[in-house]
């Protein structure tokens, strides 16, 4: 369902929880960032293609200018032990990232607490509007010629 939300197949007003789609997007951008960076370094690409590859290589938190989570909040992120802390930094979760984004953008509930749901809906809207670039890089390797895959085999 997350891919369908990001791909625009599921209308945004129908999405009840944006967290799984934001997680899928963030993990995809982390996994494919090095491939997009390599494409941006290719000298045969045009200036526009290089700029797009650089934008696609940026992680979600960098693209949205979200500061790193500095304090531990048990309501947002559950740590089971000291092994969960990576290189003196807290691990991320969709909720913690959206919590920070809500603080930066000023999305808040009536009590003043950050509104992670509104932040998630906004991130998904940015993707669907094309203001937060998203794409899946082409597959590795040479194309396979003469192989037909279909109903009849």
């Amino acid at each position: 369902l997350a891919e369908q939300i990001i791909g625009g197949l599921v209308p945004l007003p129908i999405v009840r929880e944006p967290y799984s789609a934001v997680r899928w997007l963030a993990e995809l951008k982390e996994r494919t960032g090095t491939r997009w960076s390599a494409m941006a370094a290719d000298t045969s690409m045009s200036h526009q293609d290089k700029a797009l590859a650089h934008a696609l290589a940026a992680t979600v938190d960098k693209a949205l200018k979200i500061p790193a989570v500095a304090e531990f909040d048990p309501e947002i992120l559950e740590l089971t032990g000291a092994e969960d802390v990576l290189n003196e930094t807290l691990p991320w979760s969709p909720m913690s990232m959206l919590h920070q984004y809500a603080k930066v953008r000023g999305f808040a509930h009536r009590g003043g607490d950050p509104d992670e749901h509104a932040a998630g809906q906004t991130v998904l809207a940015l993707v669907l509007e094309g203001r937060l670039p998203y794409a899946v890089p082409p597959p590795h390797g040479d194309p396979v010629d003469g192989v037909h895959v279909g109903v009849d085999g």
Side-chain angles (χ1 to χ4, degrees):
L1 183 64
E3 299 96 326
Q4 294 172 347
I5 293 169
I6 298 294
L9 298 175
V10 176
L12 201 51
I14 293 177
V15 176
R16 290 188 181 186
E17 63 88 18
Y19 312 112
S20 58
V22 170
R23 173 184 288 280
W24 185 86
L25 175 69
E27 288 176 350
L28 175 82
K29 286 182 79 67
E30 282 181 2
R31 281 193 315 267
T32 60
T34 54
R35 289 186 63 199
W36 287 119
S37 295
M39 287 181 197
D42 186 3
T43 56
S44 65
M45 292 180 71
S46 70
H47 178 70
Q48 290 176 330
D49 289 342
K50 284 184 181 187
L52 179 59
H54 276 295
L56 289 167
T59 59
V60 172
D61 56 335
K62 299 288 187 238
L64 296 174
K65 299 178 178 117
I66 301 172
V69 178
E71 74 276 355
F72 171 68
D73 185 352
E75 297 277 330
I76 303 301
L77 184 65
E78 180 180 339
L79 297 178
T80 57
E83 67 275 1
D84 290 339
V85 178
L86 308 170
N87 300 327
E88 302 297 319
T89 60
L90 292 172
W92 74 275
S93 71
M95 186 68 82
S96 64
M97 185 171 61
L98 294 175
H99 185 83
Q100 290 295 102
Y101 187 59
K103 285 168 123 179
V104 168
R105 291 287 309 271
F107 300 129
H109 293 288
R110 286 188 184 194
D113 294 330
D115 186 356
E116 295 89 3
H117 187 268
Q121 293 282 19
T122 302
V123 169
L124 295 178
L126 290 172
V127 171
L128 295 176
E129 293 169 2
R131 296 188 321 183
L132 179 60
Y134 149 77
V136 178
H140 286 294
D142 296 328
V144 178
D145 292 330
V147 176
H148 174 73
V149 178
V151 177
D152 56 354

